[in-house]
Amino acid sequence: PMIRSCIDAPVLHSARLTLGPILPEYFDAFAATMAGERARFVGGPMSREVSWRQFATEMGHWSMRGYGNFAVTETASGKFIGLIGPWSPEGWPEPEIGWLLLDGYTGKGYAAEAGARARDWAYSTLGWSSTISLIDERNSGSIGVAKRLGARFERPYTHPRFGELQVWRHPSAADLAAKTHENVIALHEGAGS
């Protein structure tokens, strides 16, 4: 019998999405995206065999680090739409929030929505105080997601395998908490007038 998942990942929710364990049945959709041009900024395009190894890496990251990318599904349809979450493989300059949406799911705000939820979880549960996203400077879509999440370009970074990348720094846990506090005060003051 097929094991559904050996990953002990929590299940998180956002307005439209569910973030949970990576399941073996998601592999075909993952491999299809990794075979295409959309995968050029994450090591692709790649063969099905290499995609399998990458998928196994995604699952194994949870075992080795205790966290990793979540499988993201549309809550309403249950469709698997991508991998988004905290990521820190060997050779990364520091832990990041990363995102990969499958073909057909870009342009809907899903990456920013799931990225924000995953970042909140990394700050509140993993105890991270800060995080980055590593982005290829030609990946305008991913840069747009980082900006929507409040990240700012910090510096260039040369990765031994992926080459020239950019470090985008997310607002810290303290900055996000202060902003939430300011918003609550503003709402309270607005309600009293």
Side-chain angles (χ1 to χ4, degrees):
M2 171 90 61
I3 296 173
R4 276 199 49 81
S5 180
C6 60
I7 299 171
D8 187 22
V11 176
L12 311 177
H13 299 279
S14 66
R16 300 173 294 167
L17 305 171
T18 300
L19 292 71
I22 301 168
L23 304 177
E25 56 261 34
Y26 298 152
F27 173 67
D28 287 337
F30 175 80
T33 292
M34 295 307 282
E37 190 56 30
R38 277 196 32 72
R40 71 189 177 281
F41 297 122
V42 289
M46 57 183 67
S47 69
R48 186 172 170 86
E49 185 267 342
V50 174
S51 292
W52 191 91
R53 292 175 185 277
Q54 182 59 41
F55 196 74
T57 296
E58 296 285 349
M59 295 178 91
H61 191 285
W62 277 93
S63 295
M64 294 186 74
R65 299 276 195 235
Y67 61 86
N69 282 316
F70 291 93
V72 180
T73 57
E74 289 178 321
T75 302
S77 70
K79 289 185 179 175
F80 170 59
I81 65 164
L83 297 173
I84 297 175
W87 181 246
S88 185
E90 184 61 31
W92 244 232
E94 62 185 277
E96 78 160 338
I97 298 297
W99 44 83
L100 169 68
L101 289 177
L102 303 185
D103 290 329
Y105 295 100
T106 60
K108 302 174 190 290
Y110 286 166
E113 182 178 327
R117 184 64 185 94
R119 181 181 64 196
D120 289 348
W121 181 79
Y123 286 169
S124 66
T125 302
L126 301 179
W128 293 6
S129 58
S130 178
T131 191
I132 63 168
S133 289
L134 281 180
I135 304 173
D136 187 300
E137 67 182 11
R138 299 163 296 172
N139 192 344
S140 58
S142 202
I143 289 171
V145 171
K147 288 178 177 178
R148 282 191 292 287
L149 288 168
R152 301 208 182 282
F153 172 77
E154 184 175 273
R155 63 186 166 87
Y157 175 76
T158 303
H159 187 275
R161 186 165 62 126
F162 295 111
E164 296 303 313
L165 300 173
Q166 295 180 341
V167 172
W168 284 76
R169 175 73 52 192
H170 288 261
S172 69
D175 289 343
L176 290 175
K179 185 173 182 163
T180 299
H181 182 70
E182 289 169 13
N183 289 343
V184 168
I185 290 172
L187 283 172
H188 179 70
E189 289 172 351
S193 56

